[in-house]
Amino acid sequence: MSDLQNLNDQAIASMNDVYVMLSEDSIAYLPYDFYANESRIIEKINVDGTFVKRFFLDEEGVYPTNLAGPAVTKVIPWNLEQATVNSGSDTTKNYEPGYFLNLRQLKMSRLNMIKISDESPATADTPIPNNALPNALKTFIPVPKEQRSQLKVVPKNANLYVAFFQQPDDTRSSSECYSYCVSYISADEVKQHVVIPQTPPTHQDISIEHLKTYYGDAQVQAGAINPKDLGPHYTSTDEIKFASLEAMPATCYVANLRTFKP
């Protein structure tokens, strides 16, 4: 197998992983297999519309307003109080305020008009049938006025709530609903996945420098890089080496929590 093929395979394999920019010198790397582990899932809606688990989603299928739009935002104490009602268990004891990373909002659409290969097109995800979805009487759940001051508070710890489609590699229409999950990762677990620089630098170390420059310095909150946009046709050893050191490893979702200032 060629060096270029190895790079392409690494990029494709990592495209559903997440880099989380924490403090100025701290970035955590969360592989898909880690955050999608069944033991971490607190909310799950299947393709037939069954609410296997509910947390933020209420019985009518509606999300709280403060979590419904942004790709990266805060989970406030009021959200956990509502989750107790939705889930039927006391969530305020087992979960803490933190950040909501909505990977469903970060679509890996192709942006660069460059030819990659003649691969077959991606598979379309199966939408949840409309007749399997609840008929909501309300379209949003606002944060009560007496609780809105919580929206101004920066969470003390980086506890993460990660929302993602059950079939992340499939394509979807913006007019349909699809099966998804939400997982919970405590701040202590996030710390265990902080990237430790190595000598000599690895592909991941180069990716970290890329993120510090193009997300940290630019104060970008969130993004997603499609590996198919990073250049396919390298004909020399030098070009392959450049790809391995600059572009190919940084193919994934990125959440920059540094943008939340106290």
Side-chain angles (χ1 to χ4, degrees):
M1 184 178 292
S2 68
D3 290 342
L4 178 56
Q5 186 60 51
N6 279 326
L7 291 173
N8 284 331
D9 290 346
Q10 290 175 25
I12 296 296
S14 69
M15 68 186 296
N16 293 306
D17 299 348
V18 183
Y19 278 107
V20 183
M21 305 181 70
L22 304 168
S23 65
E24 289 300 322
D25 298 313
S26 179
I27 297 179
Y29 180 68
L30 308 179
Y32 172 79
D33 290 342
F34 172 72
Y35 70 78
N37 187 286
E38 192 71 28
S39 65
R40 304 182 188 282
I41 293 175
I42 58 175
E43 182 165 289
K44 184 175 183 179
I45 312 301
N46 281 340
V47 69
D48 60 359
T50 54
F51 293 14
V52 181
K53 294 181 179 180
R54 288 189 293 112
F55 196 87
F56 298 119
L57 194 74
D58 76 356
E59 62 182 5
E60 292 188 359
V62 181
Y63 248 59
T65 303
N66 67 306
L67 303 181
V72 180
T73 189
K74 305 169 188 175
V75 173
I76 60 178
W78 177 77
N79 291 132
L80 299 180
E81 294 172 6
Q82 293 302 110
T84 293
V85 177
N86 298 332
S87 66
S89 60
D90 189 356
T91 57
T92 59
K93 289 184 177 180
N94 299 318
Y95 304 94
E96 297 182 21
Y99 297 93
F100 186 67
L101 314 184
N102 194 348
L103 305 187
R104 297 171 298 176
Q105 297 281 31
L106 299 174
K107 298 179 181 179
M108 288 199 177
S109 302
R110 287 293 309 284
L111 299 177
N112 288 337
M113 298 295 103
I114 54 177
K115 183 176 181 180
I116 300 295
S117 68
D118 294 324
E119 297 175 357
S120 59
T123 302
D125 197 356
T126 302
I128 299 172
N130 200 44
N131 58 14
L133 297 171
N135 188 13
L137 298 177
K138 57 184 179 298
T139 57
F140 62 94
I141 308 172
V143 178
K145 288 185 178 180
E146 61 272 19
Q147 306 291 350
R148 289 179 188 171
S149 60
Q150 296 178 8
L151 295 170
K152 301 179 181 179
V153 178
V154 175
K156 294 181 180 179
N157 300 305
N159 303 294
L160 302 182
Y161 298 80
V162 184
F164 56 97
F165 287 114
Q166 288 189 31
Q167 305 297 329
D169 295 330
D170 292 352
T171 61
R172 278 164 289 274
S173 164
S174 60
S175 62
E176 303 282 357
C177 295
Y178 297 89
S179 57
Y180 74 92
C181 299
V182 177
S183 60
Y184 176 73
I185 306 169
S186 70
D188 288 339
E189 291 178 303
V190 173
K191 290 178 182 177
Q192 294 173 14
H193 283 77
V194 168
V195 177
I196 307 299
Q198 299 183 35
T199 304
T202 65
H203 292 336
Q204 192 172 66
D205 294 322
I206 303 301
S207 293
I208 294 298
E209 291 304 313
H210 171 89
L211 297 178
K212 286 181 178 179
T213 300
Y214 293 101
Y215 286 80
D217 292 347
Q219 297 184 322
V220 174
Q221 187 181 55
I225 306 170
N226 191 320
K228 296 181 183 297
D229 272 336
L230 294 181
H233 300 302
Y234 301 104
T235 58
S236 70
T237 302
D238 288 341
E239 286 177 321
I240 292 174
K241 182 179 179 181
F242 174 82
S244 68
L245 292 178
E246 295 293 338
M248 300 302 281
T251 55
C252 56
Y253 296 104
V254 181
N256 184 6
L257 304 188
R258 301 174 191 175
T259 58
F260 293 92
K261 303 295 184 181

